[in-house]
């Protein structure tokens, strides 16, 4: 047997154990420095796969959901190229454009850009609906390195000429399937058509429905395709249980469970905006620091609620599905489903707010008689029987759309999908999708 010197052995071990390191990926030095400050030692699989392709200048089609490190997978190489190639924006333009489905996700991506870019200080703007146009116009006037936008408001600015995309060389479409669900596809196509032909395009989506495939066929050139963990993956690390009880007992049960000191930070999901307000009020009355976040809140209220939660001033965030989409907050120990979602995929998205970046978490769901079918649908999608407590309530038909508890599907004023009964599409294993709006007034 050949004896290997210790140093060589350590080098080989490192190559086997940590197949890739950030320093192997070709990122500019200021970015590597900020990763060290962030405490990121190794790239996640999507980062290891996507970053070198983007640095090479390739188009990328990424199948990945939030929680995989997807944001850094596109933000890092985009910033790296801006730095290394010394790309500068035109007036009222941007070098890189990132399109996201919701205001919250857009703000979060911008935060990530500022964090990862702290040693290169890129000019970043966020252009979303629900706030005044003028500050956005002023911010965009000199041109920015990266613009993060929701499609509706971006189109408004393009129409008035206050944002131009003729000098944009990189476009990232994030959460493609969410944008599709929210009815943004025509807006996205309009934006894509306004971009220069010579550009780099990245498209990220958790699932690959046909309209997303078509978008990729129409606008990506020879893309590198990268897929990481399917939508149900993080579930493995989450301890799940369901408590059967009548609707009238949910409020007290929530307050009782919240008293558990193991709950450091939690998100409570409701199906409706009014429900979110009521649950938050109930928790505050019971002595918990809680705030609600949903589409009826002003941008300032939403931002304050998120900030307070991130900084630990409140420990419970009560949210509807759309408002919480893509929210990236570390250390959420528990997710509560005060009401089960009627769209089973939403359950996976909801509980994915915990168990981020390799950690564990717990998800506790309440199920009354009207939600028994939703529970069945969720168990079918996730291929799991969720551990149950309490007596299953008599099966009741879900309330009609628009009813008090029946504003189904996130309560964001969107057209509501049909009840979650088993239909032929489900039997064929294809996920049901919410019906789509034609043209969104503003992002969720
Ligand atoms: P994302 O999928 O972009 O929503 O990221 C999920 C979470 O993982 C965020 O909290 C990131 O800050 C964190 N994260 C991203 N990349 C890494 C990494 N390489 N190492 C550790 N944590 C990471």
């Amino acid at each position: 047997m050949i004896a290997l010197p210790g140093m060589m052995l350590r080098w080989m071990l490192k190559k086997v154990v940590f197949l890739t390191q950030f320093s192997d990926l070709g990122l500019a030095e200021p970015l590597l420095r900020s990763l060290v400050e962030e405490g990121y030692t190794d790239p996640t699989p999507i980062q290891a796969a996507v970053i070198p392709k983007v640095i090479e200048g390739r188009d990328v089609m990424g199948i990945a959901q939030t929680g995989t490190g997807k944001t850094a997978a596109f933000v890092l190489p985009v910033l790296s190229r801006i730095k290394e190639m010394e790309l500068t924006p035109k007036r009222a333009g941007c070098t890189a454009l990132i399109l996201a489905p919701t205001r919250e996700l857009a703000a979060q991506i911008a935060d990530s850009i500022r964090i990862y870019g702290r040693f290169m200080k890129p000019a970043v703007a966020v252009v979303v609906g629900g706030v005044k146009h003028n500050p956005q116009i002023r911010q965009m006037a000199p041109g920015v390195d990266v613009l993060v936008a929701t499609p509706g408001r971006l189109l408004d600015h393009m129409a008035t000429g206050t944002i131009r995309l003729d000098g944009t060389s990189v476009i990232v479409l994030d959460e493609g399937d969410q944008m599709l669900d929210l009815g943004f596809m025509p807006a996205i196509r309009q934006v894509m058509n306004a971009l220069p032909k010579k550009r780099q395009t990245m498209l990220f989506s958790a699932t690959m429905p046909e309209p997303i495939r078509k978008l990729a066929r129409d606008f990506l050139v020879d893309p590198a395709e990268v897929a990481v963990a399917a939508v149900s993956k993080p579930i493995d690390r989450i301890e799940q249980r369901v408590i059967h009880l009548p609707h009238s007992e949910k409020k007290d049960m929530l307050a009782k469970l919240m008293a558990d000191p193991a709950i450091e930070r939690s998100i409570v999901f409701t199906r409706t905006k009014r429900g979110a307000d009521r649950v938050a009020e109930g928790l505050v009355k019971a002595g918990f620091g809680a705030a609600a976040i949903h589409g009826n809140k002003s941008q300032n209220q939403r931002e304050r609620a998120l900030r307070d939660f991130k900084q630990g001033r409140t420990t419970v965030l009560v949210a509807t599905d759309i408002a919480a989409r893509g929210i990236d907050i570390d250390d959420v120990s528990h997710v509560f489903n005060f009401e089960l979602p009627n769209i089973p995929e939403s359950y996976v998205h909801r509980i994915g707010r915990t168990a981020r970046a390799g950690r564990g978490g717990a998800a506790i769901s309440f199920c009354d008689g009207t939600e028994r079918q939703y529970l069945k649908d969720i168990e079918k999608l996730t291929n799991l029987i969720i551990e149950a407590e309490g007596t299953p309530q008599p099966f009741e038909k879900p309330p009609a759309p628009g009813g008090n508890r029946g504003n189904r599907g996130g309560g964001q004023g969107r057209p509501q999908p049909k009840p979650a009964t088993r239909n032929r599409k489900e039997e064929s294993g294809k996920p049901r999708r919410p019906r789509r709006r034609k043209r969104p007034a503003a992002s969720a």
Side-chain angles (χ1 to χ4, degrees):
M1 200 167 127
I2 307 163
L4 288 171
M7 225 170 75
M8 173 87 102
L9 202 59
R10 269 200 304 278
W11 179 83
M12 284 174 68
L13 252 175
K14 210 170 172 186
K15 282 284 164 202
V16 174
V17 179
F18 307 110
L19 286 176
T20 319
Q21 295 179 310
F22 277 116
S23 51
D24 299 336
L25 301 179
L27 290 168
E29 188 277 332
L31 297 163
L32 293 176
R33 239 187 314 150
S34 65
L35 289 170
V36 171
E37 285 227 341
E38 269 302 281
Y40 292 179
T41 45
D42 306 305
T44 64
I46 190 147
Q47 291 162 1
V50 167
I51 292 172
K53 300 290 176 199
V54 181
I55 300 257
E56 266 175 49
R58 292 276 302 271
D59 282 3
V60 171
M61 168 80 243
I63 304 173
Q65 61 179 62
T66 51
T68 52
K70 167 171 64 84
T71 316
F74 61 77
V75 165
L76 289 169
V78 166
L79 291 180
S80 189
R81 274 173 74 85
I82 289 174
K83 169 89 185 150
E84 302 275 336
M85 296 165 74
E86 298 177 358
L87 303 173
T88 50
K90 284 191 175 177
R91 284 191 67 76
C94 56
T95 303
L97 168 66
I98 300 171
L99 282 186
T102 64
R103 304 170 204 171
E104 281 74 20
L105 186 57
Q108 215 166 267
I109 293 170
D111 283 347
S112 297
I113 297 169
R114 291 183 195 108
I115 291 170
Y116 300 136
R118 64 162 74 93
F119 297 114
M120 58 178 275
K121 303 236 174 340
V124 185
V126 179
V127 162
V128 294
V131 287
K132 288 189 180 137
H133 285 72
N134 278 343
Q136 298 178 344
I137 295 171
R138 278 198 296 277
Q139 206 185 357
M140 284 302 299
V144 295
D145 296 307
V146 190
L147 166 61
V148 192
T150 49
R153 177 58 66 92
L154 175 62
L155 276 188
D156 293 346
H157 282 289
M158 285 163 62
T160 49
T162 42
I163 293 182
R164 46 190 290 188
L165 299 182
D166 54 341
T168 299
S169 52
V170 184
I171 165 92
V172 180
L173 303 168
D174 194 18
E175 303 270 341
D177 51 357
Q178 301 302 332
M179 294 211 269
L180 171 70
D181 285 350
L182 291 169
F184 286 133
M185 208 42 70
I188 290 171
R189 288 183 165 268
Q190 250 177 287
V191 171
M192 296 305 289
N193 285 323
L195 290 163
K197 288 267 170 297
K198 198 168 165 308
R199 58 155 197 265
Q200 187 175 25
T201 308
M202 281 161 255
L203 169 58
F204 293 90
S205 189
T207 56
M208 271 291 131
E210 179 48 29
I212 297 291
R213 287 185 193 284
K214 180 148 174 35
L215 189 73
R217 280 198 301 275
D218 292 349
F219 294 107
L220 273 67
V221 179
D222 184 27
E225 291 187 25
V226 176
V228 296
V231 82
S232 55
K233 250 323 195 213
I235 281 187
D236 300 346
R237 293 194 306 271
I238 303 170
E239 202 183 292
Q240 298 173 66
R241 64 193 163 111
V242 59
I243 302 175
H244 291 281
L245 76 180
H247 192 273
S248 58
E249 291 176 16
K250 286 185 176 184
K251 209 172 111 193
D252 289 347
M253 178 60 84
L254 183 65
K256 193 173 132 198
L257 293 173
M258 276 291 171
D260 181 349
I263 302 176
E264 293 154 22
R265 241 191 318 193
S266 61
I267 302 185
V268 180
F269 283 94
T270 62
R271 274 198 306 273
T272 68
K273 292 178 262 195
R274 238 178 340 133
D277 282 334
R278 273 198 298 259
V279 170
E281 278 160 25
L283 285 170
V284 169
K285 267 192 202 144
F288 298 99
I293 174 170
H294 56 65
N296 276 3
K297 300 269 182 195
S298 70
Q299 185 65 9
N300 277 346
Q301 285 173 317
R302 289 171 176 221
E303 276 172 14
R304 190 174 342 115
L306 270 182
R307 205 172 40 242
D308 285 352
F309 187 65
K310 278 188 182 175
Q311 293 173 355
R313 277 194 290 274
T314 53
T315 51
V316 190
L317 193 66
V318 187
T320 55
D321 288 292
I322 302 290
R325 196 69 93 191
I327 285 179
D328 170 29
I329 296 168
D330 292 335
D331 302 327
V332 172
S333 59
H334 289 68
V335 166
F336 289 92
N337 290 308
F338 189 83
E339 288 157 329
L340 281 173
N342 59 315
I343 300 165
E345 287 84 354
S346 296
Y347 176 83
V348 179
H349 282 294
R350 285 180 180 192
I351 71 170
R353 304 303 98 205
T354 180
R356 311 283 279 180
R359 282 184 287 267
I364 302 171
S365 303
F366 295 164
C367 180
D368 65 24
T370 63
E371 296 167 312
R372 298 264 315 268
Q373 183 62 50
Y374 303 161
L375 180 61
K376 278 189 172 189
D377 291 335
I378 288 163
E379 291 184 329
K380 188 172 176 215
L381 174 82
T382 56
N383 209 13
L384 281 174
I385 300 293
I386 303 173
E387 193 187 311
E389 293 167 29
T391 316
Q393 299 300 298
F395 227 104
E396 272 180 72
K397 259 177 88 166
N404 193 20
R405 283 198 277 125
N407 183 3
R408 303 153 52 82
Q412 302 292 315
R414 299 164 53 195
Q416 303 306 323
K418 291 216 168 77
T421 46
R422 280 159 202 274
N423 56 24
R424 241 183 308 143
K425 261 196 169 161
E426 253 182 288
E427 297 298 347
S428 73
K430 281 189 187 160
R432 277 172 296 108
R433 309 207 71 79
R435 244 193 298 151
R436 282 162 213 141
R437 274 197 312 194
K438 278 217 172 82
R439 165 76 168 80
S443 54

